Amino acid sequence: MEQIKTSFDFEKPLTELVQQIEKVKQVADKTKVDMSATLTELEEKLVQTQQSLYSNLTGWQKVQMSRHAERPQTLDYISLICDDFIEMHGDRTVKDDKAIIGGFATIDGQTVMIIGHQKGKNTKERQYRNFGMANPEGYRKALRLMRLAEKFNKPVISFIDTMGAYPGLEAEERGQGEAIARNLLEMSVLKVPIICFVVGEGASGGALGIGIGDKVYMLEHTWYSVISPESCSSILWRSWDYKERAAECLKLTSDDMYSNKLIDGIIKEPLGGAHQNPELMAETVKEQILKDLKELKKEKTEKMIATRIEKFCAMGVVNE
């Protein structure tokens, strides 16, 4: 129980219970008094509090969870899911964008192309990865790898976790909008199965640039939206102070996205979030990948592409 990682204000009730459990254990050790009944009661209360807390998170709280420093990222999933991984570099035009990684991997004997955002775990790595915000060359690298997967008839798996595409002047000069739009077009007609997972933040075109798939899933405590709550708040209210309200208005949680038929499913996270048990989280994702690959490989290519296009074209359509 003492291994529970708490980081946010809304998790304080859990921290207090963990501290109580630890104190009872210390008293039991010192006095040699049987405190097992008290410990059992506190541990049951802790589990109940966890279940109640994490099943009723607000939109802003889920945004916070998605940004947890220890939350598994693309490289973590690759190391936990794949038997091997050969990273491939460069877009063959400008350079190798470190914010997006990709390459061939093997999952239970099946070769796949894995592409995903990588934010980094510490300050140095985050600077190296540009905080997971890709430049145009990152999306062009992703497209090059997807075409390579199509050439060898291998499915594509994408992991989405970005605050958005890099908004710098040089990125716009090199065609950021065109690069993302090109990916949307090419992914919609790619002749191999595509499975996408939002594993952290899914912001704007930066997420959508590798987010067109036959199956699109969100992990339970993630978000997917055209804009971040902070940016939305600054535009509408000229201040970040209303970010919690903006998060609710944007309907960006996995539950909201699924109810609006914008994703195909929600991947349940371990109690307390993916960072509490990355191994279990990776195993759950792996099971979903293998299940979908088995189904998608049975479909004819033309039908698969038509279904993919139809799914995204139906989004936002209102039937009166």
mmCIF file of all heavy atoms in Angstrom, residues 68-103:
data_model
loop_
_atom_site.group_PDB
_atom_site.id
_atom_site.type_symbol
_atom_site.label_atom_id
_atom_site.label_comp_id
_atom_site.label_asym_id
_atom_site.label_seq_id
_atom_site.Cartn_x
_atom_site.Cartn_y
_atom_site.Cartn_z
ATOM 1 N N HIS A 68 1.261 13.033 -15.945
ATOM 2 C CA HIS A 68 2.090 12.552 -14.834
ATOM 3 C C HIS A 68 3.501 12.243 -15.327
ATOM 4 O O HIS A 68 3.690 11.599 -16.365
ATOM 5 C CB HIS A 68 1.460 11.303 -14.218
ATOM 6 C CG HIS A 68 2.013 10.964 -12.875
ATOM 7 N ND1 HIS A 68 3.263 10.394 -12.708
ATOM 8 C CD2 HIS A 68 1.505 11.121 -11.623
ATOM 9 C CE1 HIS A 68 3.488 10.201 -11.419
ATOM 10 N NE2 HIS A 68 2.441 10.647 -10.739
ATOM 11 N N ALA A 69 4.490 12.703 -14.589
ATOM 12 C CA ALA A 69 5.888 12.577 -15.008
ATOM 13 C C ALA A 69 6.326 11.124 -15.192
ATOM 14 O O ALA A 69 7.212 10.836 -16.007
ATOM 15 C CB ALA A 69 6.791 13.271 -13.990
ATOM 16 N N GLU A 70 5.721 10.209 -14.456
ATOM 17 C CA GLU A 70 6.122 8.802 -14.530
ATOM 18 C C GLU A 70 5.210 7.970 -15.430
ATOM 19 O O GLU A 70 5.336 6.748 -15.485
ATOM 20 C CB GLU A 70 6.154 8.205 -13.121
ATOM 21 C CG GLU A 70 7.208 8.843 -12.226
ATOM 22 C CD GLU A 70 7.202 8.237 -10.841
ATOM 23 O OE1 GLU A 70 6.871 7.053 -10.711
ATOM 24 O OE2 GLU A 70 7.531 8.971 -9.888
ATOM 25 N N ARG A 71 4.316 8.628 -16.115
ATOM 26 C CA ARG A 71 3.393 7.903 -17.001
ATOM 27 C C ARG A 71 4.165 7.249 -18.146
ATOM 28 O O ARG A 71 5.061 7.857 -18.729
ATOM 29 C CB ARG A 71 2.356 8.872 -17.553
ATOM 30 C CG ARG A 71 1.186 8.184 -18.253
ATOM 31 C CD ARG A 71 0.116 9.182 -18.636
ATOM 32 N NE ARG A 71 -0.990 8.503 -19.294
ATOM 33 C CZ ARG A 71 -1.993 7.906 -18.660
ATOM 34 N NH1 ARG A 71 -2.033 7.922 -17.342
ATOM 35 N NH2 ARG A 71 -2.949 7.295 -19.322
ATOM 36 N N PRO A 72 3.850 5.987 -18.481
ATOM 37 C CA PRO A 72 4.567 5.311 -19.573
ATOM 38 C C PRO A 72 4.434 6.058 -20.896
ATOM 39 O O PRO A 72 3.358 6.583 -21.219
ATOM 40 C CB PRO A 72 3.875 3.943 -19.661
ATOM 41 C CG PRO A 72 3.181 3.766 -18.364
ATOM 42 C CD PRO A 72 2.822 5.130 -17.868
ATOM 43 N N GLN A 73 5.533 6.125 -21.639
ATOM 44 C CA GLN A 73 5.552 6.769 -22.943
ATOM 45 C C GLN A 73 5.839 5.721 -24.025
ATOM 46 O O GLN A 73 5.982 4.531 -23.725
ATOM 47 C CB GLN A 73 6.591 7.880 -22.954
ATOM 48 C CG GLN A 73 6.304 8.971 -21.924
ATOM 49 C CD GLN A 73 7.341 10.077 -21.901
ATOM 50 O OE1 GLN A 73 8.184 10.185 -22.783
ATOM 51 N NE2 GLN A 73 7.303 10.911 -20.866
ATOM 52 N N THR A 74 5.922 6.169 -25.256
ATOM 53 C CA THR A 74 6.050 5.240 -26.380
ATOM 54 C C THR A 74 7.191 4.237 -26.204
ATOM 55 O O THR A 74 7.011 3.034 -26.400
ATOM 56 C CB THR A 74 6.241 6.023 -27.696
ATOM 57 O OG1 THR A 74 5.086 6.850 -27.925
ATOM 58 C CG2 THR A 74 6.385 5.065 -28.874
ATOM 59 N N LEU A 75 8.369 4.713 -25.820
ATOM 60 C CA LEU A 75 9.508 3.807 -25.661
ATOM 61 C C LEU A 75 9.270 2.788 -24.552
ATOM 62 O O LEU A 75 9.755 1.651 -24.635
ATOM 63 C CB LEU A 75 10.787 4.609 -25.383
ATOM 64 C CG LEU A 75 11.433 5.277 -26.603
ATOM 65 C CD1 LEU A 75 12.610 6.142 -26.173
ATOM 66 C CD2 LEU A 75 11.883 4.236 -27.629
ATOM 67 N N ASP A 76 8.523 3.181 -23.524
ATOM 68 C CA ASP A 76 8.192 2.234 -22.454
ATOM 69 C C ASP A 76 7.297 1.121 -22.988
ATOM 70 O O ASP A 76 7.512 -0.062 -22.683
ATOM 71 C CB ASP A 76 7.488 2.961 -21.301
ATOM 72 C CG ASP A 76 8.362 4.019 -20.654
ATOM 73 O OD1 ASP A 76 9.527 3.702 -20.348
ATOM 74 O OD2 ASP A 76 7.892 5.149 -20.472
ATOM 75 N N TYR A 77 6.285 1.508 -23.772
ATOM 76 C CA TYR A 77 5.384 0.498 -24.331
ATOM 77 C C TYR A 77 6.127 -0.425 -25.294
ATOM 78 O O TYR A 77 5.891 -1.636 -25.306
ATOM 79 C CB TYR A 77 4.204 1.175 -25.042
ATOM 80 C CG TYR A 77 3.196 1.765 -24.086
ATOM 81 C CD1 TYR A 77 3.102 3.136 -23.895
ATOM 82 C CD2 TYR A 77 2.356 0.946 -23.340
ATOM 83 C CE1 TYR A 77 2.194 3.680 -22.999
ATOM 84 C CE2 TYR A 77 1.440 1.478 -22.441
ATOM 85 C CZ TYR A 77 1.367 2.847 -22.278
ATOM 86 O OH TYR A 77 0.465 3.376 -21.379
ATOM 87 N N ILE A 78 7.034 0.147 -26.066
ATOM 88 C CA ILE A 78 7.810 -0.667 -27.003
ATOM 89 C C ILE A 78 8.646 -1.702 -26.249
ATOM 90 O O ILE A 78 8.677 -2.886 -26.615
ATOM 91 C CB ILE A 78 8.714 0.225 -27.885
ATOM 92 C CG1 ILE A 78 7.848 1.018 -28.890
ATOM 93 C CG2 ILE A 78 9.743 -0.614 -28.638
ATOM 94 C CD1 ILE A 78 8.609 2.048 -29.685
ATOM 95 N N SER A 79 9.307 -1.262 -25.180
ATOM 96 C CA SER A 79 10.165 -2.184 -24.430
ATOM 97 C C SER A 79 9.364 -3.261 -23.708
ATOM 98 O O SER A 79 9.839 -4.382 -23.526
ATOM 99 C CB SER A 79 11.023 -1.407 -23.428
ATOM 100 O OG SER A 79 10.210 -0.808 -22.434
ATOM 101 N N LEU A 80 8.137 -2.928 -23.289
ATOM 102 C CA LEU A 80 7.318 -3.875 -22.538
ATOM 103 C C LEU A 80 6.475 -4.793 -23.422
ATOM 104 O O LEU A 80 6.151 -5.916 -23.027
ATOM 105 C CB LEU A 80 6.392 -3.114 -21.575
ATOM 106 C CG LEU A 80 7.072 -2.387 -20.414
ATOM 107 C CD1 LEU A 80 6.088 -1.454 -19.727
ATOM 108 C CD2 LEU A 80 7.639 -3.388 -19.412
ATOM 109 N N ILE A 81 6.129 -4.315 -24.618
ATOM 110 C CA ILE A 81 5.238 -5.074 -25.501
ATOM 111 C C ILE A 81 5.994 -5.881 -26.547
ATOM 112 O O ILE A 81 5.638 -7.020 -26.854
ATOM 113 C CB ILE A 81 4.252 -4.111 -26.210
ATOM 114 C CG1 ILE A 81 3.256 -3.530 -25.199
ATOM 115 C CG2 ILE A 81 3.504 -4.814 -27.333
ATOM 116 C CD1 ILE A 81 2.357 -2.460 -25.785
ATOM 117 N N CYS A 82 7.068 -5.293 -27.081
ATOM 118 C CA CYS A 82 7.722 -5.867 -28.258
ATOM 119 C C CYS A 82 8.868 -6.816 -27.902
ATOM 120 O O CYS A 82 9.568 -6.619 -26.914
ATOM 121 C CB CYS A 82 8.248 -4.748 -29.163
ATOM 122 S SG CYS A 82 6.958 -3.593 -29.665
ATOM 123 N N ASP A 83 9.049 -7.814 -28.751
ATOM 124 C CA ASP A 83 10.171 -8.740 -28.597
ATOM 125 C C ASP A 83 11.460 -8.090 -29.066
ATOM 126 O O ASP A 83 12.544 -8.364 -28.534
ATOM 127 C CB ASP A 83 9.912 -10.027 -29.390
ATOM 128 C CG ASP A 83 8.576 -10.665 -29.001
ATOM 129 O OD1 ASP A 83 8.293 -10.714 -27.792
ATOM 130 O OD2 ASP A 83 7.823 -11.088 -29.898
ATOM 131 N N ASP A 84 11.354 -7.250 -30.079
ATOM 132 C CA ASP A 84 12.508 -6.491 -30.573
ATOM 133 C C ASP A 84 12.013 -5.234 -31.285
ATOM 134 O O ASP A 84 10.832 -5.113 -31.604
ATOM 135 C CB ASP A 84 13.389 -7.329 -31.510
ATOM 136 C CG ASP A 84 12.578 -7.937 -32.657
ATOM 137 O OD1 ASP A 84 11.647 -7.274 -33.148
ATOM 138 O OD2 ASP A 84 12.861 -9.086 -33.047
ATOM 139 N N PHE A 85 12.918 -4.296 -31.506
ATOM 140 C CA PHE A 85 12.548 -3.024 -32.134
ATOM 141 C C PHE A 85 13.743 -2.459 -32.872
ATOM 142 O O PHE A 85 14.843 -2.367 -32.320
ATOM 143 C CB PHE A 85 12.068 -2.027 -31.078
ATOM 144 C CG PHE A 85 11.771 -0.643 -31.611
ATOM 145 C CD1 PHE A 85 10.756 -0.438 -32.540
ATOM 146 C CD2 PHE A 85 12.505 0.452 -31.185
ATOM 147 C CE1 PHE A 85 10.485 0.838 -33.022
ATOM 148 C CE2 PHE A 85 12.240 1.730 -31.650
ATOM 149 C CZ PHE A 85 11.223 1.919 -32.577
ATOM 150 N N ILE A 86 13.537 -2.117 -34.132
ATOM 151 C CA ILE A 86 14.593 -1.505 -34.945
ATOM 152 C C ILE A 86 14.145 -0.088 -35.288
ATOM 153 O O ILE A 86 13.274 0.109 -36.133
ATOM 154 C CB ILE A 86 14.854 -2.304 -36.242
ATOM 155 C CG1 ILE A 86 15.239 -3.753 -35.901
ATOM 156 C CG2 ILE A 86 15.947 -1.641 -37.061
ATOM 157 C CD1 ILE A 86 15.325 -4.660 -37.108
ATOM 158 N N GLU A 87 14.729 0.905 -34.587
ATOM 159 C CA GLU A 87 14.320 2.287 -34.830
ATOM 160 C C GLU A 87 14.869 2.783 -36.162
ATOM 161 O O GLU A 87 16.001 2.484 -36.539
ATOM 162 C CB GLU A 87 14.798 3.204 -33.704
ATOM 163 C CG GLU A 87 14.267 4.628 -33.841
ATOM 164 C CD GLU A 87 14.611 5.525 -32.680
ATOM 165 O OE1 GLU A 87 15.234 5.043 -31.711
ATOM 166 O OE2 GLU A 87 14.260 6.721 -32.740
ATOM 167 N N MET A 88 14.038 3.550 -36.860
ATOM 168 C CA MET A 88 14.412 4.109 -38.156
ATOM 169 C C MET A 88 14.374 5.636 -38.050
ATOM 170 O O MET A 88 13.544 6.200 -37.329
ATOM 171 C CB MET A 88 13.476 3.592 -39.247
ATOM 172 C CG MET A 88 13.369 2.069 -39.221
ATOM 173 S SD MET A 88 12.286 1.379 -40.470
ATOM 174 C CE MET A 88 13.377 1.398 -41.872
ATOM 175 N N HIS A 89 15.280 6.284 -38.757
ATOM 176 C CA HIS A 89 15.480 7.715 -38.560
ATOM 177 C C HIS A 89 15.308 8.507 -39.864
ATOM 178 O O HIS A 89 15.556 7.995 -40.953
ATOM 179 C CB HIS A 89 16.884 7.988 -38.010
ATOM 180 C CG HIS A 89 17.161 7.306 -36.701
ATOM 181 N ND1 HIS A 89 16.867 7.871 -35.486
ATOM 182 C CD2 HIS A 89 17.700 6.093 -36.430
ATOM 183 C CE1 HIS A 89 17.211 7.051 -34.519
ATOM 184 N NE2 HIS A 89 17.725 5.952 -35.061
ATOM 185 N N GLY A 90 14.921 9.774 -39.696
ATOM 186 C CA GLY A 90 14.969 10.731 -40.797
ATOM 187 C C GLY A 90 13.783 10.716 -41.733
ATOM 188 O O GLY A 90 13.127 9.697 -41.924
ATOM 189 N N ASP A 91 13.501 11.889 -42.308
ATOM 190 C CA ASP A 91 12.413 12.013 -43.282
ATOM 191 C C ASP A 91 12.939 12.065 -44.705
ATOM 192 O O ASP A 91 12.184 12.256 -45.649
ATOM 193 C CB ASP A 91 11.577 13.259 -42.989
ATOM 194 C CG ASP A 91 12.331 14.558 -43.269
ATOM 195 O OD1 ASP A 91 13.585 14.532 -43.237
ATOM 196 O OD2 ASP A 91 11.674 15.588 -43.512
ATOM 197 N N ARG A 92 14.274 11.930 -44.880
ATOM 198 C CA ARG A 92 14.940 11.952 -46.193
ATOM 199 C C ARG A 92 14.836 13.321 -46.874
ATOM 200 O O ARG A 92 15.008 13.438 -48.079
ATOM 201 C CB ARG A 92 14.372 10.862 -47.129
ATOM 202 C CG ARG A 92 14.510 9.442 -46.601
ATOM 203 C CD ARG A 92 15.965 9.044 -46.456
ATOM 204 N NE ARG A 92 16.117 7.663 -46.049
ATOM 205 C CZ ARG A 92 16.269 7.249 -44.798
ATOM 206 N NH1 ARG A 92 16.261 8.132 -43.812
ATOM 207 N NH2 ARG A 92 16.436 5.972 -44.523
ATOM 208 N N THR A 93 14.513 14.353 -46.080
ATOM 209 C CA THR A 93 14.422 15.703 -46.644
ATOM 210 C C THR A 93 15.170 16.716 -45.785
ATOM 211 O O THR A 93 16.034 17.429 -46.273
ATOM 212 C CB THR A 93 12.943 16.148 -46.769
ATOM 213 O OG1 THR A 93 12.233 15.176 -47.532
ATOM 214 C CG2 THR A 93 12.845 17.504 -47.464
ATOM 215 N N VAL A 94 14.847 16.778 -44.495
ATOM 216 C CA VAL A 94 15.437 17.792 -43.618
ATOM 217 C C VAL A 94 16.334 17.159 -42.559
ATOM 218 O O VAL A 94 17.546 17.323 -42.579
ATOM 219 C CB VAL A 94 14.340 18.646 -42.948
ATOM 220 C CG1 VAL A 94 14.951 19.703 -42.025
ATOM 221 C CG2 VAL A 94 13.482 19.327 -44.012
ATOM 222 N N LYS A 95 15.725 16.391 -41.645
ATOM 223 C CA LYS A 95 16.510 15.806 -40.550
ATOM 224 C C LYS A 95 15.684 14.743 -39.847
ATOM 225 O O LYS A 95 14.558 14.429 -40.255
ATOM 226 C CB LYS A 95 16.931 16.890 -39.556
ATOM 227 C CG LYS A 95 15.770 17.544 -38.811
ATOM 228 C CD LYS A 95 16.267 18.539 -37.773
ATOM 229 C CE LYS A 95 15.087 19.138 -37.007
ATOM 230 N NZ LYS A 95 15.512 20.092 -35.967
ATOM 231 N N ASP A 96 16.230 14.209 -38.772
ATOM 232 C CA ASP A 96 15.513 13.248 -37.943
ATOM 233 C C ASP A 96 14.883 13.984 -36.773
ATOM 234 O O ASP A 96 15.584 14.583 -35.949
ATOM 235 C CB ASP A 96 16.480 12.162 -37.438
ATOM 236 C CG ASP A 96 15.770 11.115 -36.589
ATOM 237 O OD1 ASP A 96 14.638 10.750 -36.949
ATOM 238 O OD2 ASP A 96 16.349 10.672 -35.582
ATOM 239 N N ASP A 97 13.566 13.965 -36.697
ATOM 240 C CA ASP A 97 12.844 14.624 -35.617
ATOM 241 C C ASP A 97 12.765 13.661 -34.432
ATOM 242 O O ASP A 97 12.154 12.601 -34.528
ATOM 243 C CB ASP A 97 11.438 15.004 -36.084
ATOM 244 C CG ASP A 97 10.721 15.913 -35.098
ATOM 245 O OD1 ASP A 97 11.065 15.878 -33.907
ATOM 246 O OD2 ASP A 97 9.818 16.651 -35.520
ATOM 247 N N LYS A 98 13.369 14.052 -33.315
ATOM 248 C CA LYS A 98 13.422 13.172 -32.144
ATOM 249 C C LYS A 98 12.102 13.118 -31.382
ATOM 250 O O LYS A 98 11.928 12.271 -30.506
ATOM 251 C CB LYS A 98 14.526 13.641 -31.185
ATOM 252 C CG LYS A 98 15.903 13.784 -31.829
ATOM 253 C CD LYS A 98 16.413 12.473 -32.382
ATOM 254 C CE LYS A 98 17.825 12.638 -32.958
ATOM 255 N NZ LYS A 98 18.320 11.376 -33.545
ATOM 256 N N ALA A 99 11.158 14.005 -31.694
ATOM 257 C CA ALA A 99 9.871 14.012 -30.995
ATOM 258 C C ALA A 99 8.995 12.847 -31.424
ATOM 259 O O ALA A 99 8.079 12.448 -30.694
ATOM 260 C CB ALA A 99 9.139 15.330 -31.240
ATOM 261 N N ILE A 100 9.234 12.318 -32.611
ATOM 262 C CA ILE A 100 8.507 11.139 -33.087
ATOM 263 C C ILE A 100 9.508 10.034 -33.355
ATOM 264 O O ILE A 100 10.514 10.248 -34.049
ATOM 265 C CB ILE A 100 7.693 11.452 -34.362
ATOM 266 C CG1 ILE A 100 6.475 12.318 -34.014
ATOM 267 C CG2 ILE A 100 7.249 10.162 -35.048
ATOM 268 C CD1 ILE A 100 5.531 12.572 -35.162
ATOM 269 N N ILE A 101 9.229 8.875 -32.798
ATOM 270 C CA ILE A 101 10.094 7.721 -33.039
ATOM 271 C C ILE A 101 9.294 6.657 -33.789
ATOM 272 O O ILE A 101 8.060 6.631 -33.735
ATOM 273 C CB ILE A 101 10.652 7.134 -31.732
ATOM 274 C CG1 ILE A 101 9.510 6.662 -30.829
ATOM 275 C CG2 ILE A 101 11.523 8.133 -31.008
ATOM 276 C CD1 ILE A 101 9.974 5.929 -29.609
ATOM 277 N N GLY A 102 9.994 5.803 -34.504
ATOM 278 C CA GLY A 102 9.298 4.764 -35.238
ATOM 279 C C GLY A 102 10.253 3.713 -35.765
ATOM 280 O O GLY A 102 11.458 3.948 -35.872
ATOM 281 N N GLY A 103 9.698 2.566 -36.085
ATOM 282 C CA GLY A 103 10.505 1.500 -36.642
ATOM 283 C C GLY A 103 9.763 0.181 -36.607
ATOM 284 O O GLY A 103 8.664 0.070 -36.051
#
